[in-house]
Each structure stands twice: as C-alpha cells, then as structure tokens.
Amino acid sequence: MTDLGYNSAAMEMNPFYKMRAGAEEFPLMVHIEITYVCNSKCPHCPYTESNSDIRRFNWDKGNRHISVGLFQKVADEVGSHGRFLRITGGGEPMMHPECVNLIEYAKKVGCSVGLITNGSLITPPVADALLDVGLDVIEFSVDAADHKTYKKVRAGLDWNQLMRNMEYILSRRNSENLKTRIITSVINQKSVMDKIEAIEAFWKQRVDHVVIRKFLSWGMVNRKLSGDDIPFLNVDTPCPYPYERCIITQEGKLVLCGYDIEGANAVGNISETTIKAIWNSVEYKKLREAMWLKHYDEIPFCRDCQDRIYRSWDHNYLKTLELSDSGREVNIHSHVCGKDSKD
C-alpha cells in the first residue's frame, strides 16, 4: 500500500463517516472467534465444507478451539475498558468445552458480553448457567420459523430442540426479570426470501428483537443465494468496521472485519502486543485514512470486498442492543401481566 502518512485532518473531510464516539482510543466492540468446530452445515456459512476448506485446514493443524489463556488476555483488556466482547466463531461457540466458563470470566473482569449461537446446545442447564453469570445478550441464529425451512438452512440441527431451548430460556428470563437480552437473527437468503415477513412475525411474538441480516458472500459463498441485494452503502462509502470494532481470530490475529475470513490481512497479533496498541498503530491509521479518502486500490483487501456495500453505519449491532432493551421490557411486562391476569 502506498505510504500516505497519517493526516487526521483528512478524516474530517466527511462529517458523518468518522470514528464512533468513544472508539478513538479503543474499539467499542471486540468480536472474538473461539472455535472452528460446528454441529451444523449451513449452506450460507463460509466455513461449511461445501464453501471452503478453512475449517478442515485448521482442524488438520490441531487448531479447533481458542486457548483459555488467549481468551483471558483479550477479556482482561476489553474488560479494563468496559467494552463489549462479542463471542462468535468459525463454528458454534458452545462447542468450545469451556464456553460457559469463558463467559463467566469475561463478566468477572468487566466485559459486557454477547453470545452468537445456533441454540442447539442451550439446554436448560446451560441456559441457567448463562443467565446466572449475567450474559448481556444472546443471539440465536435461526433463519426460519418452521421445521421444513429450518432443516434446509440449518442442516443437521433439530427444530424441536431449538424451540424447547428457546421456550425455557425465555420463560426463566421473563419470570425472574433477568437482564439478559434475547434476540434472533435471520439471514435473507433465497431459500427464505418469500417467508421473511412470516419469520420475523413469528419471532417478534417471542423474543426482544429480530435482526434481518443481508446475505454476505465472505468472498466465498455464491451471491446468487442472496434474497436481498439492495445495498446499504454507496459503492465508494467507507466501511464502518475499522472505526468502531475489530475481530480477533482464535489464533490471536486482529483483523479489520469479518470479510477477512482467513485472517490473511491481519493488522497484528494480540499474542505479541495489545488490542489498544494495534488499534492506535500507524498502520491501522493509514488503512482508515485510505478508506476515508476512497483510495480502495491501495487496500487490495477492501478493493476486492463484495460485502462492504451491505454493511451499515445505522443498522448495526449497537442499534440492535438499543432495540432489544425496549423489547425486553415489553416481554417481561407482558409476562407479569399475563400471570397476574390468570391469578
């Protein structure tokens, strides 16, 4: 990449696309991938063997789960800044044998914690543990509202098991007025595009918020599978990710965004330094400035990105948290009123 130097004044050229308030020194949110192991073969997932060999390649290297030590190092730093740690993975996070313990640790050191899961393993004992440690938000990736559709989009999982798990965690959360937000997400892919409204309506009756996400290709999955190709951003609009959040792979690589599914363009490795040091590094600032100035040719990774236009500065996870707060209050109130009316 051409050495532009770093000129903070250049980043004031556009009054809207700027560092999120509070993210100037440290990201507002850190995504951390904790496992490559999964119990499903979702057709839209870049890690599914039909789309890439990333999962198998890492398994062959003996790289299945993040180490407890590496996770704790990340959690310690995120917690010291009082920021949000979002637990995800190249697989199902609950497949990590220490997942609940990792979440408990992150909460103890001051992180707000979100978990993204397919829900298959959130059985009542696990749900109790997650609620008891004060998990801030749990997102169930569902993509369907009926058994037949679910079997296609969440291949290998059981719809009835999902519903039992969901009903239990919602019932306990509501009855005890616990703070955990519970949301579901749906990827608008071709196999569900004609059912999106029905799916959204089904889950709105149950959870705090329903997220309808754009289909992303990750540079590996066929874009023809998308059910909604209307972009959020103009083709030359900067991506919001480098200005608010970062992703850490289970090998410790810090990457600009999830599109770098293989961590090939990592800005650094937190095994060797800190998140704050990388976030404020000259290299990171140059990347932000190049994007600000729309010099995408100088960032090959961004130049070739097929998904940037489907990111959003407005409809993001931070907004989701606000909306789910309101939904939680409504659901708990409805539960209490419903119980009182029966009495």
Side-chain angles (χ1 to χ4, degrees):
M1 188 178 89
T2 302
D3 187 351
L4 298 174
Y6 177 62
N7 176 9
S8 60
M11 298 181 73
E12 299 300 322
M13 293 176 65
N14 188 317
F16 181 64
Y17 302 115
K18 58 185 178 181
M19 294 294 286
R20 294 281 191 192
E24 296 85 358
E25 297 296 324
F26 196 85
L28 297 177
M29 181 184 300
V30 175
H31 298 236
I32 185 165
E33 301 179 348
I34 69 169
T35 186
Y36 281 113
V37 182
C38 198
N39 56 354
S40 182
K41 296 182 181 294
C42 304
H44 60 269
C45 176
Y47 296 98
T48 296
E49 287 79 357
S50 58
N51 293 320
S52 80
D53 62 356
I54 297 174
R55 183 173 290 152
R56 177 56 56 192
F57 174 75
N58 280 279
W59 283 21
D60 290 345
K61 291 196 305 179
N63 182 20
R64 295 197 172 204
H65 306 299
I66 195 171
S67 71
V68 171
L70 181 58
F71 180 92
Q72 290 179 341
K73 183 178 190 294
V74 173
D76 286 342
E77 188 175 3
V78 174
S80 71
H81 290 274
R83 298 302 167 85
F84 207 97
L85 186 64
R86 194 175 177 198
I87 297 174
T88 178
E92 165 53 40
M94 292 306 303
M95 296 292 285
H96 193 298
E98 298 293 330
C99 188
V100 173
N101 291 332
L102 297 181
I103 292 171
E104 182 177 16
Y105 182 86
K107 288 297 299 178
K108 284 182 178 178
V109 297
C111 300
S112 294
V113 182
L115 171 68
I116 306 172
T117 175
N118 61 37
S120 62
L121 302 176
I122 311 296
T123 57
V126 175
D128 286 338
L130 295 176
L131 292 172
D132 289 344
V133 302
L135 182 65
D136 293 86
V137 57
I138 181 168
E139 174 184 330
F140 291 86
S141 302
V142 294
D143 297 327
D146 64 86
H147 171 78
K148 185 176 180 180
T149 306
Y150 190 73
K151 187 176 181 179
K152 293 180 180 178
V153 297
R154 292 281 159 180
L157 303 183
D158 183 85
W159 170 256
N160 292 326
Q161 180 67 56
L162 171 70
M163 292 308 298
R164 287 193 295 270
N165 293 349
M166 292 287 293
E167 288 167 4
Y168 179 83
I169 196 170
L170 283 164
S171 176
R172 187 184 164 205
R173 192 284 306 265
N174 291 341
S175 65
E176 298 183 26
N177 192 12
L178 301 177
K179 72 174 186 177
T180 302
R181 311 170 184 92
I182 299 174
I183 66 177
T184 54
S185 61
V186 181
I187 294 174
N188 194 343
Q189 49 197 302
K190 188 164 289 185
S191 57
V192 304
M193 59 185 293
D194 59 338
K195 304 173 184 175
I196 283 291
E197 291 184 4
I199 294 172
E200 185 175 16
F202 176 87
W203 288 110
K204 269 188 174 181
Q205 298 174 23
R206 293 164 170 79
V207 300
D208 303 335
H209 184 60
V210 182
V211 182
I212 306 297
R213 289 205 171 92
K214 297 284 188 180
F215 178 94
L216 301 178
S217 72
W218 311 102
M220 298 178 179
V221 187
N222 190 344
R223 283 224 59 82
K224 291 182 179 179
L225 296 177
S226 174
D228 177 13
D229 263 338
I230 300 173
F232 282 130
L233 305 179
N234 293 326
V235 68
D236 60 351
T237 299
C239 174
Y241 267 51
Y243 307 100
E244 63 183 30
R245 67 181 81 178
C246 66
I247 295 177
I248 296 174
T249 71
Q250 65 187 59
E251 301 87 9
K253 296 177 181 178
L254 191 151
V255 297
L256 288 173
C257 80
Y259 191 77
D260 190 1
I261 206 77
E262 298 182 84
N265 297 270
V267 191
N269 193 306
I270 56 93
S271 297
E272 304 161 356
T273 180
T274 65
I275 298 170
K276 184 174 182 178
I278 299 173
W279 185 254
N280 292 284
S281 66
V282 172
E283 181 181 2
Y284 219 135
K285 290 177 178 179
K286 288 179 180 178
L287 288 166
R288 291 191 190 101
E289 183 177 312
M291 189 175 293
W292 218 266
L293 298 174
K294 304 177 182 179
H295 293 171
Y296 297 112
D297 285 346
E298 296 164 5
I299 320 173
F301 173 67
C302 296
R303 177 194 63 207
D304 300 331
C305 180
Q306 300 176 39
D307 294 337
R308 176 161 44 86
I309 58 175
Y310 302 109
R311 304 293 186 184
S312 173
W313 286 79
D314 297 314
H315 306 286
N316 56 21
Y317 199 69
L318 301 173
K319 184 66 174 178
T320 292
L321 294 178
E322 293 178 14
L323 295 172
S324 61
D325 273 336
S326 299
R328 174 188 164 279
E329 292 178 8
V330 169
N331 282 330
I332 289 177
H333 176 74
S334 297
H335 176 86
V336 172
C337 290
K339 185 172 73 171
D340 289 347
S341 66
K342 290 178 183 178
D343 293 343

